Amino acid sequence: MASVKKVTEMLYRIKNGESVTTADWDTKIVPKTVRSILKKYDLQKTYNEEVPVNQDRELADRFFDAGLELAETLGIHCTDTETVVKYSHDELLSALDQAPSELHLGCGTDQVTIGARKPEDKKKPLFCASLSIQVDEDIYPTLVEGLVSYKGIDILQGPSIDTVFGMPVFSGTPFETTAGIRESQLRTEALARAGRPGMQQMGMSSSVTEYGLLCGLPLTSKPYSPVMGICLQPSELKTNYCNFHKVLAAASCGAFLRTGCPSMIGGYSGPPEGAVIANIASDILQFALFGTDISNCSMFDIRHNSACCRTGLWAMSMSVQATSQNTHTILDKIINQNAGPCTEEILYTSAAGLIATSVSGMELTTGPRSAGGSLKNYLTPLEGFFCADVFKAAADLTLDKAEELVEYCLSKYESDVDNQPKGKSFYDCYDVKTLTPSDEWKAIDQKVRTDLRQRGLAI
């Protein structure tokens, strides 16, 4: 868990750090340094489009060494102060050494244990549902009850709300503070209805700025079952004051901490290889900067807004393998599906991303992000159940078998990766009263499950 004293010390180091404009950081310093380190470690053009799940574990070790050097060379940039804090090699290794390798989450019969994994590790990872997709306030308890009623779901992050007591929420105002409070109330109701009051929670989903978390998190956290604060930063190798507010609030109430910043293939770090070392560096820096419990540095290809494309799958598998086989840290990365509920595509894209990351050693994932998280009420329990089952079943696979399965899944959607169907809303493919999926949605789920079972996934 983060320490208020340590986080404040880091805040002071950032305030007095080297001055660097955000524009220079983004367009000059990060790209130039990434290119230099890729060249030094002979990692340029190592992306292999024919092997979306990395099979070369020695190459993954080289990527880790490059990512560690990138973390030491660059440090992390604060966009509010336009300064950089840097860490020595020893500081970074010490932060990794002090990171937890195991956490006991939740309480009572709902308690779960998460532990560090390695590539091809048979230890089952955990699944957190769902990402912060907006849903109607009045269906929040019902939808979340449906999600967490399934024992394959280990942790609740849950959807978000954009109204409080029927009134719209305005970001950065007291309305957002109220949204954090209201979300905490709705979570408690949903967990009680599902009979899972001790389930580990992550919060807050309805918190664009720090306001929703500052009130909602302490209300949700209990001394016997600390909540896990979600504290995400603007982009790779960056932080800001908003995130420090969240981290300090979490630390002050003894909460667990999940921090991270996404890496973008095609962004400032460049090609897949550059995004991988930036992603590894970002993971390492979470432990040095905040003393986080779980690093949540995801990765997307900005052309597709997903990690379920071929470049994203390779990069995610490489980054996870590199960090998991060289540290005992706990990682949570998001795959970002673009297809929506009641489609085959959301299941095949989910399977590809979850198989690639689970077999590579990832300990936790949060999802799904149905319809790319872009449409209100486009989230149902069924795709959450499917994702949890696939992610855990993939722990029994070898890397080569995972590669075979991922290639098969890609064949189902890759030709239309930029035009994924958005599917149907919760209202259109679920019975709200009985919390059961429509016949059409059940049939799609069973068809894909049967298909994957026949191909060797014990789902």
Side-chain angles (χ1 to χ4, degrees), residues 79 94 236-237 256 267 289 315 379 434:
T79 56
S94 177
E236 61 194 1
L237 303 165
F256 293 111
L289 180 64
L379 171 69
T434 62

Side-chain angles (χ1 to χ4, degrees), residues 210-228:
E210 62 269 30
Y211 293 107
L213 185 140
L214 290 177
C215 279
L217 194 80
L219 282 175
T220 307
S221 196
K222 303 293 186 293
Y224 55 85
S225 184
V227 72
M228 183 169 290

Side-chain angles (χ1 to χ4, degrees), residues 41 87 137 147 164 170 179 198 216 242 255 259 278 281 328 383 419 451:
Y41 286 86
Y87 300 91
E137 184 182 357
L147 274 170
V164 284
F170 300 95
C242 172
T259 68
H328 62 247
E383 67 263 27
N419 190 32
D451 187 19

Side-chain angles (χ1 to χ4, degrees), residues 226-249:
V227 72
M228 183 169 290
I230 305 169
C231 307
L232 304 180
Q233 296 154 92
S235 63
E236 61 194 1
L237 303 165
K238 288 181 186 172
T239 190
N240 56 22
Y241 276 176
C242 172
N243 211 49
F244 268 94
H245 279 299
K246 293 181 179 182
V247 170
L248 286 164

Side-chain angles (χ1 to χ4, degrees), residues 57 101 115-125 321 324-325 327 357-363 391-399:
R57 294 179 62 176
S101 60
R117 300 176 67 240
K118 302 295 181 186
E120 298 183 327
D121 199 323
K122 303 306 179 188
K123 183 192 303 179
K124 299 294 184 185
Q321 287 177 36
S324 66
Q325 64 192 26
T327 76
T357 51
S358 177
V359 76
S360 295
M362 198 159 75
E363 292 80 11
F391 192 51
K392 295 179 183 187
D396 294 326
L397 300 174
T398 59
L399 285 168

Side-chain angles (χ1 to χ4, degrees), residues 142-143 145-147 149 380-382 385 425-442:
T142 300
L143 200 159
E145 177 190 359
L147 274 170
S149 63
T380 80
L382 190 61
F385 303 164
S425 75
F426 177 65
Y427 297 107
D428 294 327
C429 61
Y430 246 77
D431 186 312
V432 179
K433 291 184 178 179
T434 62
L435 274 175
T436 54
S438 66
D439 290 342
E440 178 189 16
W441 195 195
K442 280 192 291 187

Side-chain angles (χ1 to χ4, degrees), residues 26 35 40 69-70 89 111 121 146 168 181 237 357 421 440:
D26 287 342
R35 287 194 299 269
K40 176 179 178 179
E69 181 165 333
L70 184 67
H89 188 77
Q111 187 176 75
D121 199 323
I181 297 168
L237 303 165
T357 51
E440 178 189 16

